[in-house]
Amino acid sequence: MMQTKNLQGECPHCGRVFEFQAEATGTTAGCPHCGQPTELMPLLPADPESPMPSKAVVFTVIALLILFGGLGGTLWALKRAKRITQHPPVAIGASPPSQPADPFAAAGFRASLVTLEKGQANSLVHAVGTITNTANRQRFAVRVELELQDEAGRKLGTATDYRPTLEPKSTWQFRALVVEKKTVTARIVAIKEDQ
Ligand SMILES: [Zn+2]
């Protein structure tokens, strides 16, 4: 006796699933659930010779192509948008990293850029620069705080210098000892005083 294969079909009347023999495909039989005459058609693409599965595959491939094509297009659009939005800040003309014009003006101080000075007799390094008292009053216990950075711009530590008094409109040439050996740049982050 020939090996029979059971397929699953769905009844169009009651919507329930039933099994039937593969040989009976295309014939009409009474639904085992509701008894209505039902054409026996496989629910799942089990028969490789049936045109249904290959059609389904083609549709799936098309759907995937649309999906990925759409995704690619979206990514491309995003990249483009990113490139566009990245432009303006550069175009506006941000100057290369430099000390803001007068960050301590409100406090009545003017700070210079800081340079590193290496001693000749020893290996001591000092961060040097100037701080000007732009106010018309004497300043007391003025302390400058510097942030030390390595080549990669990472913060290594701080250096400070101190001056007990600073006359009105006078300039103080500070020298802050730099302990961190890898220091490449130093910048003033704070100027404090006793009020
Ligand atoms: Zn039925």
Side-chain angles (χ1 to χ4, degrees):
M1 192 181 159
M2 206 178 125
Q3 179 81 30
T4 56
K5 192 171 148 192
N6 279 341
L7 297 177
Q8 284 195 327
E10 193 185 45
C11 171
H13 306 288
C14 67
R16 287 160 87 172
V17 174
F18 56 84
E19 281 198 340
F20 62 94
Q21 291 184 350
E23 296 92 58
T25 301
T27 63
T28 301
C31 168
H33 302 293
C34 67
Q36 295 278 337
T38 302
E39 199 185 0
L40 302 179
M41 288 300 288
L43 182 66
L44 297 168
D47 189 349
E49 275 169 45
S50 157
M52 285 302 285
S54 58
K55 228 182 198 173
V57 167
V58 168
F59 279 130
T60 307
V61 169
I62 290 170
L64 283 173
L65 278 176
I66 291 167
L67 185 72
F68 282 105
L71 198 66
T74 309
L75 285 176
W76 177 81
L78 275 175
K79 254 184 203 166
R80 206 180 143 80
K82 218 175 183 182
R83 220 172 14 228
I84 290 164
T85 53
Q86 269 169 357
H87 261 290
V90 179
I92 282 164
S95 50
S98 65
Q99 206 91 342
D102 231 338
F104 306 107
F109 289 112
R110 190 170 61 238
S112 72
L113 287 172
V114 183
T115 53
L116 293 176
E117 209 178 80
K118 199 165 182 175
Q120 289 178 338
N122 49 42
S123 62
L124 289 180
V125 175
H126 285 88
V128 299
T130 60
I131 286 170
T132 303
N133 176 11
T134 57
N136 282 316
R137 58 190 168 89
Q138 195 175 34
R139 319 297 281 264
F140 298 97
V142 183
R143 182 179 293 276
V144 59
E145 278 182 26
L146 302 137
E147 185 182 290
L148 309 175
Q149 293 176 343
D150 68 5
E151 227 166 333
R154 281 184 294 253
K155 187 186 171 181
L156 293 170
T158 55
T160 59
D161 195 11
Y162 172 83
R163 183 163 167 131
T165 59
L166 188 56
E167 300 300 315
K169 306 291 180 192
S170 68
T171 296
W172 165 35
Q173 189 131 27
F174 66 82
R175 281 173 67 83
L177 181 64
V178 173
V179 181
E180 307 287 344
K181 297 287 178 215
K182 287 180 185 167
T183 301
V184 174
T185 56
R187 62 185 188 92
I188 297 168
V189 288
I191 302 169
K192 291 172 181 171
E193 64 173 319
D194 267 359
Q195 300 282 351

